[in-house]
Amino acid sequence: MMDLKIFKQEFDPILIDFIEKKRKKLKIYKNQDLIHNLSHLTKLLESGKRIRPYLSFLSYKAYGGTENKAVIELLIFLEIFHMFCLVHDDIMDKSGYRHNVKTMQEFAKSNITFSSDKTHYGESIAILVGDFLLAWAFEILLKNKKFKNEIEERIRNIFFKLIEEVIIGQFLDVNTSSRNDVSQAEIFQKTTLKTAGYSFAWPMIIGASLVKDVEQDKFLNKFGLYLGMAFQIQDDLFDIIYDGTQLKKSSFNDMEQHQHTIFTNYILDKGRKDQREIIKEHWGKKINFNDKVMLRKVFKESGAIEYGKSLIEVNLKKAKSILKEASLPKEYNKTFLDFIDLISRRSY
């Protein structure tokens, strides 16, 4: 069974070919800025990890699927929808870079000679590029004729649920950032909807559902939940400990956007008074280099970092446990186990 690296090598040419064909068709409108921005979209897509379609493909094969190319040609809709989410998420988070590549709005605003409000212009272009991506994701899904009608309908219905959950998760993400007090249960709910379900459980369910009805499958749902929780906590941890010297990725974005994570929640709940005051003082504000050094010390000395690491470990162990209980073919059991290890070792 292919690992993530090999899958990406097979998946990417099909994905990029689809986008390039779309870009060429849009040349009939004779707008060079449109084509220029869509060229940058290709660059953003090329930087993706492909976790969602890979897990979907693995699940399809593990549950008895026999096709390869036809499934990959369908599963590019997941990656295109994911890029739609990222483009809009980067606007909400005011992000400048994603994996060392300028975000869509930053690229758009840096390539114009005049605008009364370059930030607004860049965000407007990014929203429109995101709209293209959403439409293309549906086009791939709705026009696909390589699977039986009942299978295609099943996938569409699952996709609608995925969309609803990720929007609610993003709503909670934005909504909780406007509040000072958020419970750990709310943070876990947001993580479940925005990351665990969207990035792990639902893609796996989609893949296996190309073979049979598995929406209530315990392994797919639980495995995805545990992996997704570990993955998101890792991301929140990296945002704190990342020093900003290796890639063009800023740190403490969550703090600057007044986001609630299990790390800030831990300090507000269990930290000393002075540690709580430091968090409150810097929340929602631009954080300079010296403040980042000081905040890293607060997160470490409060015990928040160790607490987060323990949650990552707990969720990865649960993922291994549910995998052990699953009656998957031996080779796929090992492939999923390798994927857990890949997640446990990842870094920016």
Side-chain angles (χ1 to χ4, degrees), residues 263 266-267 275 297-308:
F263 297 97
Y266 183 90
I267 292 177
Q275 293 170 335
K297 185 177 180 181
V298 170
F299 277 105
K300 183 177 180 180
E301 292 183 351
S302 68
I305 297 295
E306 286 306 311
Y307 175 67

Side-chain angles (χ1 to χ4, degrees), residues 76-215:
I76 65 171
F77 91 88
L78 277 176
E79 198 67 16
I80 289 173
F81 177 75
H82 178 53
M83 183 51 64
F84 152 72
C85 291
L86 294 182
V87 168
H88 282 197
D89 185 59
D90 285 338
I91 297 169
M92 297 179 209
D93 289 346
K94 301 179 182 178
S95 299
Y97 286 86
R98 179 170 291 279
H99 301 306
N100 210 24
V101 179
K102 280 186 178 180
T103 55
M104 199 68 240
Q105 74 267 20
E106 283 298 313
F107 177 81
K109 80 176 187 181
S110 67
N111 283 275
I112 57 171
T113 54
F114 172 78
S115 175
S116 58
D117 188 339
K118 288 190 175 185
T119 297
H120 177 70
Y121 174 86
E123 290 174 348
S124 298
I125 295 298
I127 290 170
L128 293 169
V129 170
D131 292 343
F132 268 130
L133 289 162
L134 181 60
W136 293 341
F138 273 106
E139 178 184 332
I140 293 165
L141 193 57
L142 296 175
K143 286 188 175 182
N144 186 278
K145 300 300 178 185
K146 294 184 179 180
F147 298 90
K148 293 179 180 179
N149 289 337
E150 60 265 29
I151 293 177
E152 292 176 355
E153 183 178 3
R154 186 191 300 155
I155 300 304
R156 288 195 296 269
N157 289 334
I158 294 170
F159 186 45
F160 296 149
K161 293 176 184 177
L162 179 156
I163 293 172
E164 182 176 276
E165 283 198 3
V166 76
I167 291 173
I168 293 171
Q170 184 67 9
F171 176 87
L172 293 175
D173 194 45
V174 173
N175 177 252
T176 54
S177 70
S178 70
R179 295 155 52 192
N180 289 323
D181 297 315
V182 173
S183 68
Q184 182 168 275
E186 288 178 286
I187 295 170
F188 284 159
Q189 181 190 36
K190 174 183 71 172
T191 302
T192 298
L193 294 172
K194 186 181 176 183
T195 303
Y198 161 62
S199 296
F200 293 84
W202 284 121
M204 292 175 67
I205 291 170
I206 285 173
S209 293
L210 288 167
V211 181
K212 57 183 179 180
D213 186 0
V214 295
E215 194 169 335

